[in-house]
């Protein structure tokens, strides 16, 4: 058994921001599956939104405008107090990241170079070229590795939370730690702590086509669900409008490379095969409308025309502009044989961001005592029915700060309380090694295809029902596979993926209206009685 004052699961911006701060108050264990750099954070391109102090921000910008843009994107169900609280800490977040070594791009005058993205009425996105996430992730990992109070364990996969409810006799439902698979050795250990923080990111891999890395399998959300935490708004899965459409590549790779929204912020325009700026037919803001509108407009255009993709045109930009401002995108497209300065970029939407998640208060505390959730895994109320671009890196860092304040003040339960609980040994399934890996891959593929075909940008009651029926069968199969074999990370991810897929379908089925990124042909309008979160709980 391993004990620490803080047990953080996940090494993205949320988990590492918290680790670095928490290390001033006690011992911190950060566990992460795979390598610490494998996270959505490291893949972020566009940047981090923040209203800087007067003199450093764009003329006319202020926090109220950022709040208003966020509420507008969120389509009526953002929690305004949360939106305001997070946005007001934007400048502090930038200072903190800079102190930890992140270098944001500056103009020749030494001011921050501010970008713009869909739904933002002003330029307020700080960035490191088009690899902002990599700059942040590398700086945070380096900072965490320096601190003697932080133990950062790679290839440690959290399987399940340990809560007092598991012990059967205790009335207070609180977290006690987690069961963790040491991936290399195949051994399961108990990690014990009275403050456990889920910072496990999102669940993009639930869909066949996604911008997310392989690690985004919704593990934290599934663990929280199994432990009985309150979950909300899982129907709101955001699709990014512009992923490179590359039929020459095979499988999911053909649609997963993101072309940042910041490219549209710098003048890129979405056009159809005839060169028409079709998004303008749906919204006056055209290519810079919020993502739900742009993704739906593309979906509509592709279905209307029968074409496999639309195009993002930057050929009118001065020669060398893309290479200088978006070097990663430019070079990656070149490596696929596409010169974006000569030809418009073929693009399609793909699953990108989980707006719902484990419900938390403004301090990151969940419905289970001692359990916190921060970053993409959480549902704080910031995003409502559709996240405003570049608000998530901001949220991850701000919520780490708020959660720490809460943990060191009111949620410190004292070590002695932990000794009151006898932690049950890990209950393994059968010890047989999975002999038929094909079952895992087949189920994995079927879940992702089901979600893509029936639960993506445009939904209907009928499609959701079909998805629910298929997922019910898949869950049974996965459950028996899970209990019948020795655990490994593939089986664990499959178990989480099918659980999260079912939660998305469940929430989507309950919302009998169209709002933000949840659009159904059966109820194409917003309805007042659904102007609230979709809240679900297992027990
Ligand atoms: P992540 O950064 O995803 O970190 C989660 C960590 O948890 C990972 O280390 C993972 O390995 C670990 N983990 C997961 N499950 C387990 C488990 N069972 N056991 C142990 N460890 C586990 N947002 C912006 O604001 N601006 C952008 O420009 C931007 N661009 C993006 C571009 C791309 C291509 C993508 C995919 C996302 C982008 N986003 C952007 C979204 C943003 O990157 C994420 O929402 C944010 O980084 C999430 O941070 P996080 O710390 O919550 O999770
Ligand atoms: C992008 O760069 O387009 C992604 C921004 C985001 O998801 O916030």
């Amino acid at each position: 058994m391993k004990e620490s004052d803080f047990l953080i699961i996940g090494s993205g911006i949320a988990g590492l921001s918290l680790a670095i701060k928490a290390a001033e108050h006690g011992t911190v264990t950060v566990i992460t599956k795979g390598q610490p750099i494998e996270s959505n954070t490291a893949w972020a391109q566009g940047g981090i939104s923040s209203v800087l102090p007067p003199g450093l921000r764009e003329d006319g910008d202020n926090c109220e405008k950022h709040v208003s843009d966020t509420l507008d994107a969120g389509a009526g169900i953002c929690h305004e107090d949360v939106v305001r609280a997070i946005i007001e800490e934007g400048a502090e977040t930038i200072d903190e990241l800079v102190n930890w070594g992140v270098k944001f791009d500056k103009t020749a005058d030494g001011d921050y170079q501010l970008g713009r993205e869909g739904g933002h009425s002003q330029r307020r996105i700080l960035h490191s070229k088009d690899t902002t996430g990599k700059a942040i992730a590398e700086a945070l990992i380096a900072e965490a590795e320096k601190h003697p109070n932080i133990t950062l364990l790679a290839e440690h996969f959290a399987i399940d939370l340990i809560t007092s409810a598991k012990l059967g006799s205790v009335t207070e439902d609180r977290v006690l730690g987690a069961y963790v698979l040491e991936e290399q050795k195949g051994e399961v250990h108990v990690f014990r702590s009275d403050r456990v923080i889920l910072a496990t990111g999102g669940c993009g891999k639930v869909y066949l086509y996604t911008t997310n890395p392989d690690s985004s399998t919704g593990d934290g959300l599934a663990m929280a669900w199994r432990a009985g935490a309150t979950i909300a708004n899982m129907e709101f899965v955001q699709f990014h409008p512009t992923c490179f459409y590359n039929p020459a590549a095979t499988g999911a790779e053909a649609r997963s490379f993101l072309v940042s929204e910041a490219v549209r912020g710098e003048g890129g325009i979405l056009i159809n095969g005839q060169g028409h700026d079709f998004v303008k037919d749906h919204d006056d803001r055209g290519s810079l409308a919020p993502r739900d509108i742009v993704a739906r407009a593309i979906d509509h255009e592709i279905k209307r025309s029968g074409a496999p993709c639309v195009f993002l045109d930057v050929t009118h930009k001065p020669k060398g502009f893309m290479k200088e401002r978006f070097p990663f995108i430019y070079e990656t497209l070149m490596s696929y044989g596409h010169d974006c300065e000569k030809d418009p970029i073929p693009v399609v939407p793909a699953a990108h961001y989980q707006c719902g998640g484990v419900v938390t208060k403004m301090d990151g505390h969940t419905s289970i005592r001692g359990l916190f959730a921060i970053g993409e895994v959480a549902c704080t109320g910031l995003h409502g029915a559709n996240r405003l671009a570049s608000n998530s890196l901001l949220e991850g860092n701000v919520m780490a700060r708020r959660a720490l304040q809460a943990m060191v003040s009111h949620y410190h339960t004292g070590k002695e309380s932990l000794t009151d609980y006898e932690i049950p040994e890990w209950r393994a399934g059968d010890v047989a090694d999975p002999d038929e890996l094909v079952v895992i891959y087949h189920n994995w593929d079927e879940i992702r295809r089901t979600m893509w075909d029936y639960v993506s940008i445009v939904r209907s009651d009928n499609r959701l029902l079909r998805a629910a029926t298929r997922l019910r069968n898949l869950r049974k199969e996965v459950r028996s596979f899970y209990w019948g074999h020795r655990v490994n990370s593939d089986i664990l991810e499959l178990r989480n993926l099918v659980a999260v897929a079912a939660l998305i379908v469940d929430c989507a089925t309950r919302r009998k209206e169209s709002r933000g990124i949840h659009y159904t042909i059966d109820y194409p309008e917003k309805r007042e009685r659904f102007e609230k979160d979709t809240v679900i709980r297992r027990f």
Side-chain angles (χ1 to χ4, degrees):
M1 170 149 34
K2 301 172 202 283
E3 272 191 54
S4 49
D5 295 320
F6 303 87
L7 173 61
I8 299 174
I9 307 175
S11 60
I13 189 169
L16 290 178
S17 295
L18 179 61
I20 297 164
K21 291 158 185 295
E24 302 305 318
H25 299 267
T27 52
V28 180
T29 302
V30 181
I31 59 167
T32 193
K33 61 180 184 179
Q35 295 306 310
I37 194 73
E38 289 166 27
S39 63
N40 278 18
T41 297
W43 285 28
Q45 291 186 355
I48 177 163
S49 60
S50 174
V51 176
L52 297 173
L56 298 177
R57 58 175 79 151
E58 189 181 56
D59 282 349
D61 200 12
N62 55 47
C63 285
E64 273 315 305
K65 282 197 178 166
H66 192 178
V67 168
S68 160
D69 293 344
T70 302
L71 295 176
D72 185 37
I77 59 165
C78 295
H79 298 200
E80 194 170 336
D81 51 346
V82 176
V83 173
R84 190 156 274 115
I86 290 178
I87 283 171
E88 282 173 357
E89 288 189 33
E92 199 175 330
T93 283
I94 299 303
D95 282 348
E96 192 165 82
L97 293 174
V98 169
N99 284 335
W100 288 337
V102 181
K103 291 191 170 48
F104 293 109
D105 290 353
K106 293 193 166 174
T107 63
D109 299 336
D111 297 329
Y112 285 120
Q113 193 184 78
L114 301 173
R116 191 169 166 195
E117 290 177 13
H120 286 274
S121 56
Q122 301 265 163
R123 285 186 170 267
R124 59 170 82 98
I125 317 292
L126 286 96
H127 55 89
S128 260
K129 298 282 184 199
D130 53 353
T131 46
T132 311
K134 184 164 175 279
I136 293 175
E138 286 175 350
L140 266 56
I141 291 169
E143 190 70 17
E145 281 175 341
K146 274 196 298 213
H147 207 295
N149 269 356
I150 300 178
T151 307
L152 176 52
L153 297 173
E155 296 181 341
H156 278 64
F157 192 123
I159 304 173
D160 263 319
L161 297 166
I162 307 169
T163 62
S164 53
K166 280 212 165 57
L167 307 182
S169 56
V170 195
T171 46
E172 189 199 28
D173 192 7
R174 59 171 299 225
V175 75
L176 302 168
Y179 296 110
V180 177
L181 172 72
E182 191 175 347
E183 295 181 77
Q184 287 287 338
K185 294 189 179 158
E187 290 170 5
V188 177
H189 307 285
V190 169
F191 278 68
R192 209 164 153 161
S193 180
D194 61 351
R195 302 164 183 121
V196 177
I197 301 94
L198 292 172
T200 46
C203 66
K205 291 305 267 193
V206 116
Y207 285 90
L208 188 58
Y209 301 115
T210 176
T211 62
N212 290 194
D214 288 346
S215 52
S216 300
T217 47
D219 300 348
L221 190 106
M223 281 190 271
W225 171 254
R226 287 192 291 269
T230 306
I231 309 286
N233 291 355
M234 287 304 294
E235 67 274 40
F236 298 119
V237 177
Q238 184 174 68
F239 287 75
H240 197 292
T242 55
C243 297
F244 180 52
Y245 175 69
N246 180 19
T250 51
E253 196 202 332
R255 284 170 171 230
S256 58
F257 179 65
L258 183 79
V259 181
S260 175
E261 193 152 310
V263 172
R264 279 175 278 139
E266 299 301 338
I269 295 170
L270 283 161
I271 53 172
N272 63 15
Q274 288 69 50
H276 174 57
D277 178 354
F278 63 92
V279 189
K280 279 255 166 70
D281 302 339
H282 301 259
D283 191 292
D284 289 344
R285 290 166 289 186
S287 297
L288 275 180
R291 268 181 206 169
D292 56 330
I293 295 167
V294 179
R296 254 194 321 275
I298 295 177
D299 187 73
H300 180 267
E301 184 60 29
I302 287 175
K303 286 185 178 139
R304 186 199 64 76
S305 64
C309 62
V310 295
F311 298 90
L312 178 58
D313 189 12
V314 288
T315 55
H316 52 283
K317 298 295 290 181
K319 190 153 176 49
F321 173 81
M322 285 298 289
K323 194 172 181 180
E324 161 57 25
R325 172 66 180 84
F326 300 105
F328 174 62
I329 294 171
Y330 176 83
E331 295 297 349
T332 307
L333 292 177
M334 276 304 220
S335 74
Y336 284 123
H338 185 91
D339 183 346
C340 63
E341 292 196 339
K342 288 206 181 109
D343 298 306
I345 310 162
V347 290
V348 281
H352 183 62
Y353 185 85
Q354 162 194 315
C355 293
V358 184
V359 173
T360 73
K361 297 191 196 137
M362 256 157 68
D363 59 10
H365 197 238
T366 69
S367 58
I368 296 177
R369 186 162 178 82
L371 179 67
F372 290 75
I374 53 175
E376 190 167 339
V377 68
C379 181
T380 58
L382 172 68
H383 309 305
N386 180 31
R387 175 183 65 111
L388 184 67
S390 286
N391 267 359
S392 40
L393 291 173
L394 174 68
E395 183 189 36
N397 173 273
V398 170
M399 289 308 295
R401 186 175 312 123
R402 299 180 77 90
L404 180 71
Q405 280 158 6
M407 280 185 248
V408 294
S409 51
H410 10 288
Y411 294 108
H412 183 67
T413 49
K415 274 202 164 152
E416 65 291 352
S417 58
L418 278 181
T419 58
D420 296 344
Y421 298 97
E422 195 63 40
I423 303 284
E425 281 297 307
W426 162 249
R427 210 176 121 230
D430 287 348
V431 290
D433 280 320
D435 45 353
E436 290 194 314
L437 284 177
V438 67
V439 176
I440 298 185
Y441 299 125
H442 182 76
N443 282 347
W444 180 279
D445 194 56
E446 200 174 334
I447 295 164
R448 300 181 66 205
R449 269 183 198 284
T450 300
M451 293 301 285
W452 185 260
D453 289 344
Y454 299 120
V455 199
S456 55
I457 299 173
V458 175
R459 302 163 179 181
S460 72
D461 279 350
N462 216 354
R463 288 176 202 171
L464 292 175
L465 188 62
R466 284 186 184 175
T469 310
R470 280 168 174 69
L471 289 172
R472 206 169 304 123
N473 292 336
L474 282 162
R475 282 181 90 175
K476 275 193 212 139
E477 239 173 73
V478 171
R479 197 173 304 129
S480 81
F481 201 76
Y482 172 77
W483 287 110
H485 295 92
R486 189 196 305 273
V487 290
N488 64 28
S489 42
D490 286 341
I491 295 181
L492 294 173
E493 286 184 341
L494 181 66
R495 175 187 184 224
N496 293 331
L497 207 68
V498 74
V500 171
L503 294 177
I504 294 172
V505 174
D506 184 4
C507 288
T509 305
R510 288 166 193 244
R511 188 169 286 281
K512 306 279 184 217
E513 64 157 359
S514 293
R515 179 184 296 275
I517 40 191
H518 173 72
Y519 181 82
T520 159
I521 49 176
D522 292 317
Y523 315 96
E525 305 296 332
K526 270 193 208 146
R527 298 165 87 186
E528 209 180 321
R529 74 187 166 95
F530 288 100
E531 198 170 302
K532 57 183 185 197
D533 296 330
T534 309
V535 180
I536 52 173
R537 215 178 153 199
R538 188 168 169 213
F539 341 101

